[in-house]
Amino acid sequence: NAGVTQTPKFHILKIGQSMTLQCTQDMNHNYMYWYRQDPGMGLKLIYYSVGAGITDKGEVPNGYNVSRSTTEDFPLRLELAAPSQTSVYFCASTPIGFGNTEAFFGQGTRLTVV
Amino acid sequence: AQTVTQSQPEMSVQEAETVTLSCTYDTSESDYYLFWYKQPPSRQMILVIRQEAYKQQNATENRFSVNFQKAAKSFSLKISDSQLGDAAMYFCAYRGVSGATNKLIFGTGTLLAVQP
């Protein structure tokens, strides 16, 4: 059981370039999330999805886009990368309807924009 | 909007001693869930303990326990008999129950150092 898998683990991106961070889970979870973690700032929610075809903005959505065509996959797209998007990105998932259920996290993607 | 505040950026404890990490939150909901997550240097996020707001009894998991004060909107984590492996970043998190709030919101974290 792989859980939540993120790729890549590390990446260096040039200013103005675009890229997609991949996230897939094999637990049939309906809820999926993207967070960014900056030093001293904790985890900020970028986007989340409550099921295939449904996405919504979190606290810091600007500069990002997401899609959810399947239950398993929730890619995060960075368009026109900026240095402010240098961060560690985490994908997470939870089952539907159980608020106290543990969230499962991927190992994170460390992204540097130069 | 719901917010989670951790006012202690860093804490230090001696091995075998007890330490308490603070967390406060703001919400207008009466039912919700609270969590403490641990993040060691490996970056992996590990659930430490969880609490349902409708339960008055404080949750405990071995050496970890919480002091949940619903009226004060406070949710502190107590680590007893601290071990070197407890050194990590600790995040407090909130999850509501309605459609608009049923997402996990984190505090800024507390970095715990354990001194031998």
Side-chain angles (χ1 to χ4, degrees), chain A residues 9-10 31 33 35 37 40-43 45 48 88 90 94-95 98-103 105 107-108 110, chain B residues 33 35 37 39 42-47 50 52 89 91 95-96 99-100 102-109:
Chain A
K9 288 186 170 52
F10 304 92
Y31 284 68
Y33 311 80
Y35 293 90
Q37 183 178 17
M41 299 297 289
L43 279 77
L45 183 63
Y48 67 104
V88 178
F90 285 95
T94 57
F98 297 95
N100 68 339
T101 302
E102 175 181 1
F105 285 80
Q107 288 287 79
R110 182 177 293 279
Chain B
Y33 304 92
F35 307 83
Y37 279 86
Q39 186 184 44
S42 66
R43 288 202 319 233
Q44 184 181 3
M45 293 289 284
I46 304 165
L47 178 66
R50 73 190 95 187
E52 293 87 350
M89 181 73 84
F91 292 101
R95 187 178 187 187
N102 193 2
K103 51 187 183 288
L104 210 51
I105 301 297
F106 287 86
T108 52

Side-chain angles (χ1 to χ4, degrees), chain A residues 48-60:
Chain A
Y48 67 104
S49 169
V50 301
I54 306 170
T55 62
D56 206 350
K57 296 177 180 178
E59 303 166 89
V60 290

Side-chain angles (χ1 to χ4, degrees), chain B residues 4-34:
Chain B
V4 177
T5 301
Q6 293 178 250
S7 59
Q8 306 156 315
E10 297 181 13
M11 292 282 285
S12 182
V13 64
Q14 291 290 128
E15 200 174 3
E17 296 295 308
T18 295
V19 65
T20 298
L21 309 184
S22 300
C23 173
T24 59
Y25 57 93
D26 189 26
T27 183
S28 58
E29 295 182 296
S30 59
D31 198 14
Y32 47 87
Y33 304 92
L34 297 164

